[in-house]
Amino acid sequence: MLRKGSELLRGDREVLLDLDYGSEAQVSDSYGSLQNGSFIPPRYLSACRDHADDKDDEPINIDCNTRRKQPPPQPGNYFRDGRTKIDFVLVWEVRSRRRRRGRGKQRGEVTGEEGEAVPTIENSRSERRKAQLAQWREKFVQNLEGAGLLMEKEETANEKKTIHFLKLSVPWDVLVYYAEELCLRAPLQAQQNLDLNTSARVLSKLCIPNVMTESVPNRPLDYYTCAFRKSKMNRFLGCDDHENYFSNTQRHRVVYEILARTVYGKRTRAEVGVDRLVNEGAYTAAFPLHEGHFKLPSYEIPPDELNQRQVLYHYWARWCKWCKYQPLDHIREYYGEKIAFYFAWLGFYTAWLLPVAVVGTMVFVSGVMSMGTNTPAKEVCDSGANYLMCPLCNTCKAWNMSDICTMVKLGYLFDHPGTVLFSVFMSFWAVTFLEYWKRKMATLAHHWDCMDFHEEEERPRPEFAAMAPMMEQNPVTGVKEPYFPEKTRLSRMFTGSMVIIMMLCVVMIFLVTVVMCRGIISVIIFHTGSPVLRTEAGTIANISSSIVNLGLILLMGQVYTALAEQLTKWEMHRTQTQYDNAFIFKVFIFQFVNFYSSPFYVAFFKGRFVGYPSNYGTLFGMRNEDCGPGGCLIELAEQLFIIMVGKQLINNIQEFIIPKVKAWRQKRTMTKVLGGKTSHEPRGWEEDYQLVECGGLFEEYLEMVLQFGFITIFVAAFPLAPLFALLNNWVEIRLDAHKFVCEYRRPVAERAQNIGVWFNILEALSHLSVIANAFLIAFTSDFLPRLLYQYKFDNDLNGYVNFTLAYAPRNYTEYRMCRYKAFRDNNGNYTLFYWELLAVRLGFVIAFEHVVFFVLRAIDWIVPDVPESLELKIKRERYLAKQALAENQEALLVSRGRGAATATPGSSSPAALPHAPMVPIGKM
């Protein structure tokens, strides 16, 4: 029997919404199907939809004359009945009225005749806002009941604040309906879990013990699957087990889909979805629960009895597991494909760093061992006073080249034939790494049943819906939704691009400031008179300016990230994907210039515009910078070490400390509310509410992508960069794992086919690294000048130092016979060798670029994106899916045959099959 405005409903709503903000803690009660009846059948939902948008009407519920006594609470993520799973939790906080009255009197509020505080204009506006939020919560909960969700409420209160927890559960009928609508995959046939680790297969074939492998309990089974169909339930494995047929992540996804569609106000104002309610402040949090506590119990427990969170903590998040494979299937089962793809990519990238780190270390060691055989360094050290060098600044004195013997030897570590070959190797490594990642990505996408996943028509973002000025009909869905004029958006994007250009100009201004600061520091150190400091003036200035530059980089990165977020919001992108892509593009462009501008300057511009004695180039009255005694590559190596390694250390410290501080503050707030009520065991929703909200993967991807740029673009100057990246990533994996398992609330599982737009950025960086390494070898390194000298003059490089030094022009009167490094004659003009060398350099760049990109295309052609074994599995899965639908095809043929047999003679058209009308689950 249907009825409106029952006394039972009124009582439930008073407890649930707490509209009067009473200071006393209300008695907890249950909602939805647990007390108000069983699941609402679809035939009642049309009536519910008719009243869903009417603010004055009460919700329609199923009458229940008796209330069943609730059984005692049981541990775990269940309602008080001990059987109904908790799939989602909504949280909101309410301050006590008594507390607010006291504060209002202290603020000088007017007191009425009966002693009640009469609110001022500001206070009344705040009260109206709170009443509005309470009304939205009320209607939202009513519509959730109409959608068939089960509810139960808990409270935690003290004299100042009440924290309300609304537990949600999705029943079987709703799960089945949304599983078909969301195209969830259903198991057809079990198959053997394959080992997806290439290194494990290689080591197994070579009969080498693999210390990285470890047996992880409760590994999710692998199935051949197809899209779920309710009419084919009997064809799917495990269809009789309603309790465990859908995984917890699938249940969370279904509940979140309902929450995202449910109306809480007027649909014409796009007042839809829990995300917007959280943004508006109606709820303080909305999250699924973790699977219990991550710590192992004090008593002995078999591994198979561990919950999923304990398995992830014990076999993944602990530091002692740094050398073990990541349990990617468990990660995907617990967090969904989007987060699993991040950790899969990070692990794959880290594994590929291992060989290049070994090669880079060997290259560096070979440079150390061959340092004594460097003929040019010997000539410099043995030159004595033979080479009087021109002053480094206008007020400096001439100096002997033998003074820089140590720096020339150190410069050889970063500029010898091994580093050149290593940069060539890294160019091939970068493009090959991405090609094999595409294969790995396709294998994982099929293994995780998301290869054919395509995001359906995305709903508008909550912020977009709240700020859009008009409503327009969606051409895909036909439903009116918030709309923002495209011309206005384009004008805003153009304005935002101007702001980006201005910020990039600010970065360049800071770069010029650092360059001038470096020059001033070197001049000051040179004038100290100390022979040791004078010799190392350039090195000290470069290191100190690099530290200052790192501070400016991190500061500007924080400022611009906040600015880019505001600009992207102002541009009013309709969907979350469009918003994310625009935000990622802005931040990456800025961070690319922010982090790489200084290394690019040292690698390709420093020392190019110095001029020569009597005709030096100047900037703001200061002589343009020249490369240091050891060459530009050693300065580039110093900058890369400080910027790259310094950034990694600071980020790791932040990732370790900041979540703990946030969790401590959240736990402190919860402890104040609990007060002395510590007699009962902490409940799961209270524990999870104390955790930190998951901030997404943007910062994690950005950090790794910038690192990828450092180790590929500038690796010729710093062969140890892959080693430092490898060490950082071993720490990064465990830090991120610990954050997700121990410190973050459980995020809603999101589906994904790949790592998204980040793959396109990695491809762009890999192509840029090929070009950058070509120019670095050709124009910054001494490899080609030495090679050409060996070809034309002396194979042992005897006399090479003298050949590279030019005499000051005759009109330079300060030191007539001083030398400077350049291929010029006595008049300051370029020699024939310079032009020959320039032709060789340009030819090398063209040849290097063409060879590498040709090999890239060959690898792309030879190595298919989808492995052959995976193609067979895909064909097998399609065959099984076709077999599962065969019964439907046979029924269709039988029905048509019967229709034709009963048709009147002369009828040429077959009988039409009756079609049952589709009844939606409910109006969101």
Side-chain angles (χ1 to χ4, degrees):
M1 180 179 67
L2 298 178
R3 66 186 180 93
K4 294 183 180 180
S6 65
E7 293 298 323
L8 173 60
L9 175 64
R10 290 195 186 99
D12 285 349
R13 284 168 51 194
E14 288 174 2
V15 174
L16 176 63
L17 299 172
D18 195 16
L19 291 177
D20 60 352
Y21 301 99
S23 59
E24 299 297 330
Q26 302 290 346
V27 180
S28 300
D29 209 342
S30 299
Y31 292 87
S33 305
L34 289 183
Q35 284 194 0
N36 296 345
S38 61
F39 167 67
I40 301 177
R43 62 179 179 272
Y44 296 143
L45 293 176
S46 59
C48 182
R49 285 197 303 272
D50 293 338
H51 295 275
D53 289 329
D54 190 354
K55 295 169 61 176
D56 298 327
D57 288 346
E58 297 290 334
I60 296 177
N61 294 277
I62 297 179
D63 189 25
C64 184
N65 294 326
T66 60
R67 291 196 180 192
R68 292 172 296 177
K69 185 177 181 181
Q70 295 290 347
Q74 295 188 15
N77 295 343
Y78 292 93
F79 281 15
R80 297 192 206 103
D81 62 0
R83 296 184 304 272
T84 307
K85 284 186 177 181
I86 302 174
D87 296 314
F88 227 88
V89 176
L90 302 180
V91 188
W92 71 98
E93 299 180 0
V94 176
R95 286 192 173 276
S96 302
R97 181 190 296 175
R98 185 181 304 168
R99 182 73 177 176
R100 292 201 312 275
R101 283 181 180 173
R103 290 184 178 179
K105 291 180 180 180
Q106 291 176 7
R107 288 194 300 264
E109 290 180 346
V110 181
T111 306
E113 294 179 357
E114 297 181 1
E116 294 185 359
V118 179
T120 60
I121 296 176
E122 292 184 4
N123 214 22
S124 62
R125 187 181 297 117
S126 174
E127 293 295 328
R128 286 199 302 269
R129 176 63 177 171
K130 290 176 181 176
Q132 177 69 67
L133 296 179
Q135 188 177 22
W136 282 346
R137 285 196 298 268
E138 177 184 13
K139 188 166 186 178
F140 189 67
V141 170
Q142 291 173 7
N143 288 337
L144 290 179
E145 285 185 299
L149 292 186
L150 312 179
M151 304 180 190
E152 187 176 77
K153 188 188 172 195
E154 301 284 349
E155 289 181 359
T156 302
N158 65 0
E159 69 277 2
K160 298 179 181 180
K161 183 191 296 184
T162 302
I163 302 178
H164 302 266
F165 299 91
L166 183 61
K167 300 176 289 185
L168 305 177
S169 179
V170 55
W172 172 254
D173 293 337
V174 180
L175 271 175
V176 168
Y177 174 82
Y178 277 93
E180 187 164 355
E181 183 173 325
L182 298 177
C183 296
L184 298 184
R185 307 289 292 186
L188 292 171
Q189 180 182 346
Q191 60 174 327
Q192 184 180 1
N193 271 318
L194 299 179
D195 193 351
L196 301 178
N197 292 305
T198 306
S199 59
R201 295 197 298 268
V202 172
L203 293 175
S204 176
K205 289 181 180 179
L206 296 176
C207 298
I208 299 176
N210 188 359
V211 297
M212 295 178 290
T213 188
E214 184 178 24
S215 177
V216 182
N218 301 326
R219 181 178 180 180
L221 296 176
D222 194 12
Y223 297 99
Y224 291 109
T225 63
C226 71
F228 179 83
R229 292 290 179 269
K230 182 179 179 180
S231 59
K232 297 297 177 184
M233 278 285 294
N234 60 332
R235 293 298 184 96
F236 300 130
L237 297 180
C239 59
D240 297 330
D241 185 7
H242 292 187
E243 183 71 18
N244 301 308
Y245 181 77
F246 293 102
S247 67
N248 287 336
T249 52
Q250 289 176 326
R251 296 175 67 96
H252 300 163
R253 199 174 296 150
V254 168
V255 176
Y256 182 74
E257 185 71 18
I258 297 173
L259 293 173
R261 294 183 183 185
T262 302
V263 177
Y264 65 85
K266 290 186 177 179
R267 184 179 289 277
T268 55
R269 296 179 183 173
E271 293 174 340
V272 180
V274 70
D275 289 332
R276 188 172 172 188
L277 278 173
V278 172
N279 290 337
E280 295 283 356
Y283 292 108
T284 56
F287 53 88
L289 292 179
H290 278 293
E291 305 291 327
H293 204 273
F294 64 88
K295 291 184 178 179
L296 299 181
S298 56
Y299 53 88
E300 190 72 22
I301 183 173
D304 292 342
E305 295 182 10
L306 298 175
N307 64 47
Q308 290 181 327
R309 194 182 183 194
Q310 289 172 336
V311 169
L312 289 175
Y313 174 74
H314 189 73
Y315 293 93
W316 179 47
R318 294 194 302 164
W319 292 100
C320 61
K321 302 297 180 180
W322 66 272
C323 61
K324 302 298 182 182
Y325 291 126
Q326 297 185 92
L328 294 178
D329 287 341
H330 295 75
I331 299 170
R332 178 252 178 176
E333 183 77 8
Y334 196 75
Y335 291 109
E337 291 81 9
K338 190 172 184 178
I339 292 176
F341 265 115
Y342 164 71
F343 283 104
W345 176 80
L346 183 56
F348 188 81
Y349 169 50
T350 304
W352 273 66
L353 278 177
L354 183 59
V356 295
V358 172
V359 175
T361 305
M362 292 172 61
V363 168
F364 184 79
V365 172
S366 68
V368 174
M369 296 177 66
S370 62
M371 191 186 302
T373 62
N374 183 20
T375 302
K378 289 181 179 179
E379 291 184 354
V380 171
C381 294
D382 298 338
S383 62
N386 293 336
Y387 302 126
L388 182 67
M389 305 300 293
C390 296
L392 297 175
C393 62
N394 295 331
T395 60
C396 300
K397 297 180 180 180
W399 51 284
N400 291 318
M401 196 171 191
S402 58
D403 295 342
I404 61 170
C405 171
T406 304
M407 292 305 300
V408 172
K409 288 183 177 180
L410 291 177
Y412 181 76
L413 294 176
F414 305 98
D415 190 5
H416 61 90
T419 59
V420 174
L421 295 176
F422 184 57
S423 64
V424 176
F425 171 74
M426 284 299 297
S427 297
F428 286 109
W429 174 87
V431 295
T432 308
F433 160 71
L434 291 180
E435 286 300 318
Y436 275 90
W437 165 247
K438 284 196 287 188
R439 289 169 58 88
K440 179 77 170 180
M441 193 163 53
T443 303
L444 289 175
H446 178 267
H447 180 60
W448 292 338
D449 294 326
C450 56
M451 175 168 276
D452 298 327
F453 164 71
H454 297 287
E455 189 70 48
E456 295 182 2
E457 179 67 17
E458 277 193 90
R459 63 182 63 88
R461 293 186 307 116
E463 296 88 346
F464 176 85
M467 299 173 64
M470 62 185 71
M471 303 288 289
E472 288 281 339
Q473 187 174 9
N474 187 313
V476 177
T477 62
V479 178
K480 279 195 172 184
E481 63 180 36
Y483 176 76
F484 191 80
E486 193 65 26
K487 289 184 178 179
T488 308
R489 178 184 291 110
L490 291 176
S491 65
R492 291 189 176 189
M493 292 175 68
F494 178 77
T495 305
S497 63
M498 294 299 102
V499 175
I500 294 173
I501 293 173
M502 289 176 59
M503 293 300 297
L504 296 181
C505 292
V506 172
V507 173
M508 302 311 295
I509 292 172
F510 277 120
L511 176 61
V512 173
T513 305
V514 170
V515 170
M516 296 182 68
C517 176
R518 185 160 52 224
I520 293 171
I521 293 174
S522 61
V523 170
I524 293 174
I525 295 175
F526 196 87
H527 281 289
T528 58
S530 171
V532 177
L533 292 179
R534 187 172 63 181
T535 304
E536 306 297 336
T539 304
I540 296 172
N542 187 51
I543 292 175
S544 58
S545 62
S546 297
I547 295 174
V548 173
N549 190 31
L550 175 61
L552 292 174
I553 285 172
L554 297 177
L555 175 63
M556 291 299 296
Q558 294 294 325
V559 171
Y560 184 77
T561 300
L563 178 61
E565 186 175 4
Q566 296 303 318
L567 281 176
T568 311
K569 288 180 180 178
W570 183 62
E571 289 172 0
M572 292 292 290
H573 294 280
R574 176 181 169 272
T575 66
Q576 190 63 40
T577 300
Q578 294 171 348
Y579 175 88
D580 290 341
N581 290 343
F583 179 65
I584 289 171
F585 176 77
K586 286 184 183 65
V587 175
F588 176 75
I589 289 294
F590 178 82
Q591 295 287 41
F592 180 88
V593 177
N594 192 28
F595 276 93
Y596 299 150
S597 58
S598 183
F600 261 101
Y601 164 74
V602 174
F604 302 113
F605 298 101
K606 187 176 182 180
R608 310 295 176 193
F609 311 102
V610 177
Y612 54 91
S614 74
N615 189 27
Y616 285 114
T618 59
L619 177 66
F620 300 118
M622 294 182 60
R623 186 192 297 184
N624 290 339
E625 275 192 311
D626 196 0
C627 291
C632 278
L633 284 184
I634 189 172
E635 294 187 24
L636 181 58
E638 291 170 355
Q639 285 216 2
L640 289 175
F641 177 79
I642 292 173
I643 294 176
M644 174 184 163
V645 179
K647 175 183 177 297
Q648 291 179 167
L649 286 174
I650 293 173
N651 281 350
N652 287 336
I653 292 172
Q654 288 178 339
E655 289 185 24
F656 182 76
I657 293 178
I658 292 178
K660 293 186 180 299
V661 172
K662 289 182 177 178
W664 173 78
R665 291 178 60 187
Q666 188 77 5
K667 188 174 182 179
R668 184 166 170 264
T669 303
M670 193 70 183
T671 305
K672 285 183 178 180
V673 176
L674 288 173
K677 302 175 184 179
T678 57
S679 57
H680 65 82
E681 285 289 326
R683 298 174 292 186
W685 45 91
E686 293 174 344
E687 288 186 342
D688 285 9
Y689 186 56
Q690 297 176 21
L691 300 177
V692 182
E693 183 181 1
C694 180
L697 298 170
F698 170 77
E699 293 292 341
E700 317 298 338
Y701 271 120
L702 181 63
E703 180 184 356
M704 291 297 105
V705 167
L706 289 173
Q707 182 198 92
F708 182 82
F710 276 119
I711 69 168
T712 54
I713 297 176
F714 306 107
V715 73
F718 192 33
L720 293 178
L723 176 62
F724 286 107
L726 177 66
L727 297 175
N728 173 79
N729 288 6
W730 274 334
V731 175
E732 183 73 23
I733 290 176
R734 303 306 152 186
L735 271 179
D736 290 344
H738 190 271
K739 283 192 304 184
F740 275 92
V741 175
C742 306
E743 295 167 358
Y744 281 169
R745 292 175 192 156
R746 187 174 184 177
V748 179
E750 295 184 59
R751 301 201 72 190
Q753 282 182 298
N754 46 46
I755 61 175
V757 70
W758 295 107
F759 181 79
N760 300 327
I761 294 176
L762 290 170
E763 275 194 318
L765 285 177
S766 66
H767 287 75
L768 177 62
S769 70
V770 174
I771 301 171
N773 279 309
F775 277 94
L776 202 63
I777 295 170
F779 288 93
T780 308
S781 170
D782 276 343
F783 174 72
L784 291 182
R786 291 173 183 173
L787 197 63
L788 185 58
Y789 182 85
Q790 287 177 313
Y791 175 76
K792 293 193 65 175
F793 301 105
D794 189 280
N795 193 46
D796 295 328
L797 291 176
N798 294 314
Y800 175 75
V801 173
N802 183 61
F803 183 77
T804 59
L805 297 177
Y807 285 95
R810 295 183 180 90
N811 58 354
Y812 187 67
T813 58
E814 295 185 22
Y815 298 92
R816 291 185 179 275
M817 297 300 293
C818 70
R819 311 288 293 272
Y820 65 100
K821 191 172 183 179
F823 296 111
R824 294 177 184 269
D825 58 20
N826 292 336
N827 297 320
N829 299 319
Y830 288 117
T831 62
L832 177 62
F833 187 85
Y834 171 83
W835 298 109
E836 292 176 344
L837 180 60
L838 180 62
V840 171
R841 283 170 165 168
L842 294 176
F844 175 83
V845 170
I846 295 173
F848 182 88
E849 176 260 335
H850 277 70
V851 169
V852 174
F853 284 123
F854 173 78
V855 174
L856 167 63
R857 298 302 167 221
I859 293 174
D860 192 15
W861 178 67
I862 295 172
V863 180
D865 293 345
V866 179
E868 184 178 354
S869 58
L870 178 58
E871 288 183 349
L872 292 175
K873 289 182 66 177
I874 293 173
K875 291 178 182 178
R876 171 68 177 167
E877 189 168 63
R878 289 175 179 169
Y879 169 78
L880 291 174
K882 200 175 291 185
Q883 289 292 106
L885 298 175
E887 181 183 339
N888 187 38
Q889 295 172 358
E890 292 172 4
L892 180 63
L893 293 175
V894 171
S895 299
R896 286 183 174 177
R898 290 175 180 173
T902 57
T904 57
S907 174
S908 58
S909 60
L913 289 173
H915 295 279
M918 292 292 292
V919 180
I921 282 291
K923 181 175 180 180
M924 304 304 143

